[in-house]
């Protein structure tokens, strides 16, 4: 503390995140288990509906602005 100023912060990621990212980079995590559904940005309503109906572990709905 300096001049009676205190800064409080919070990490965006848990302390285990670096080890998990290393495991992904080292290909220790099977990414084939993820199911991706991709939608164009123009179809955002369809993407939200799909994400709500198909939520679950390893199920991702992605918006692609370049599609």
């Amino acid at each position: 503390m300096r001049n009676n100023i205190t800064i409080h912060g919070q990490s965006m990621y848990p302390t285990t995140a670096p080890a998990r990212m290393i495991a992904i980079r080292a290909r220790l995590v099977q990414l084939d288990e993820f199911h991706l559904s991709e939608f164009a940005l123009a179809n955002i309503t369809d993407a939200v509906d799909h994400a709500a109906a198909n939520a679950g572990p390893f199920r991702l709905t992605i918006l692609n602005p370049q599609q």
Side-chain angles (χ1 to χ4, degrees), residues 6-32:
T6 304
I7 298 175
H8 294 274
Q10 181 176 345
S11 178
M12 185 172 168
Y13 300 103
T15 56
T16 58
R20 291 172 55 199
M21 292 304 294
I22 290 170
I24 291 171
R25 295 288 292 173
R27 306 221 187 262
L28 300 174
V29 176
Q30 296 296 324
L31 298 178
D32 298 337

Side-chain angles (χ1 to χ4, degrees), residues 44-58:
I44 191 167
T45 304
D46 295 336
V48 170
D49 292 340
H50 176 81
N54 295 288
F58 304 105

